[in-house]
Amino acid sequence: MRAVAVSAWGAEPSLVVVPKPDPSAGEVRVKVEYASLNPLDWQTADGAPDGTAPHSFPLLVGTDFAGRVDMIGGGDNLFRVGDPVFGRLTAPPAGRCGAYGEYLCVAQDAPIALVPDGLPLQHAAALPSAGTAAAQILGGTAVRDGRSLLVIGAAGGVGSFLTQLAAARSLGVVAAVRGDEKRRMAALGAAATVDTTAGPDELASAVADLYPEGVDALVDLVSTDPAAFAAHTALVRDGGVAVTTRGVPGPPGVAWVDFRLDPADPTGELLGALAEGAARGELRVPIEVELPLEKAPQALAQNRAGGARGKTVFVV
């Protein structure tokens, strides 16, 4: 089968031909139709410099997928051949299966769920990592307790879902983006959109006009520099909370959270709930572009450079 893989930690991803995997007991094999790009994909390919993480080479790349069950492993199983499913690969060893491939094997109790009627498979493929990250940020931090939320990097996959979920809870979302995204972010529920390319004063002025005492919460999906994160936390009111997804330490005196997607939390139940919301039209799936699998190496390089708009989906 065709798949995108790396031959060593940090190697450039490339399209290769590898054997089709066989499902073990309790697993299903999925014929992948779509896979979506996440920063975790190239981060996993970069790997652990000391090589201690369980892995195998060639290491197949990709986390989020949608397709149809092709084969059932031994024992009882929740799924049947032909079922449309989507999910997130989490089980070690890294590289045994990857979403950027024609087939993958996944445990039936992994983050996998049926695709509901009315939801296109490519939309389902774009949901798992970004959708569950947004849900965890909103549900597992003090962000949920406020009335206003500033999202840095709101135009990306996580940011687009977070904006919608927060707006559905009646939070006033200030979407900080690069470029003119006012119409798109307003359609996702943002109360205001600020183009950060105009400079930091533009963002500070917009926040001050809307919330003179500062926003209740900040989620910074972009900043890797402590100074940039500190500048954004300065826009949070006293007693508010700041969340980073990039491992940046917060300045002294600020309540901040270093968010990491819990690999055990994106359950099939949570995925199913997100998919049902998308099928009903309550949650828009922000697909920016669909590309053939052959373009995945170039797309990964572009994603590494930053500035993503919505989700990139690969047609497998």
Side-chain angles (χ1 to χ4, degrees):
M1 71 171 192
R2 298 178 310 141
V4 174
V6 293
S7 58
W9 295 128
E12 290 297 322
S14 62
L15 192 66
V16 299
V17 176
V18 295
K20 187 187 302 184
D22 291 322
S24 301
E27 291 187 328
V28 295
R29 187 171 71 189
V30 178
K31 187 179 189 304
V32 180
E33 297 186 29
Y34 295 94
S36 68
L37 188 155
N38 295 286
L40 179 63
D41 300 337
W42 56 261
Q43 292 166 2
T44 300
D46 284 351
D50 59 5
T52 57
H55 63 279
S56 60
F57 291 114
L59 187 145
L60 306 190
V61 178
T63 307
D64 292 357
F65 65 89
R68 298 183 185 275
V69 174
D70 167 76
M71 181 182 290
I72 303 293
D76 295 334
N77 208 289
L78 299 173
F79 301 98
R80 297 180 179 181
V81 170
D83 280 347
V85 295
F86 75 111
R88 186 171 187 270
L89 292 171
T90 58
R96 176 199 170 210
C97 288
Y100 299 4
E102 293 178 314
Y103 294 86
L104 59 81
C105 292
V106 60
Q108 63 167 332
D109 58 356
I112 180 175
L114 291 170
V115 178
D117 292 341
L119 183 64
L121 284 180
Q122 60 266 52
H123 287 197
L127 271 172
S129 291
T132 54
Q136 285 181 17
I137 290 170
L138 195 58
T141 71
V143 170
R144 66 182 182 275
D145 298 327
R147 292 177 296 175
S148 57
L149 171 65
L150 171 60
V151 181
I152 309 296
V158 176
S160 295
F161 287 123
L162 180 58
T163 296
Q164 294 180 78
L165 294 175
R169 294 193 180 191
S170 299
L171 273 72
V173 178
V174 180
V177 301
R178 294 182 61 83
D180 184 4
E181 298 281 346
K182 287 185 179 180
R183 180 175 298 179
R184 188 169 80 87
M185 297 312 301
L188 297 180
T193 302
V194 183
D195 181 0
T196 58
T197 61
D201 291 343
E202 184 74 15
L203 179 59
S205 176
V207 170
D209 287 345
L210 291 165
Y211 305 102
E213 296 183 358
V215 292
D216 294 313
L218 159 75
V219 175
D220 192 333
L221 303 165
V222 175
S223 299
T224 57
D225 176 45
F229 183 50
H232 294 147
T233 62
L235 305 178
V236 180
R237 67 167 175 80
D238 291 343
V241 63
V243 177
T244 175
T245 62
R246 305 301 296 271
V248 184
V254 174
W256 61 282
V257 176
D258 182 9
F259 173 82
R260 290 289 184 273
L261 180 63
D262 184 348
D265 193 30
T267 61
E269 290 78 8
L270 176 55
L271 292 182
L274 291 169
E276 290 290 348
R280 291 192 299 266
E282 299 167 359
L283 185 65
R284 296 176 59 176
V285 180
I287 293 179
E288 177 69 12
V289 64
E290 290 186 24
L291 298 172
L293 187 61
E294 292 80 3
K295 297 291 186 180
Q298 298 96 308
L300 285 166
Q302 292 173 358
N303 187 264
R304 185 191 295 268
R309 296 287 188 273
K311 296 290 294 181
T312 295
V313 173
F314 302 116
V315 183
V316 180

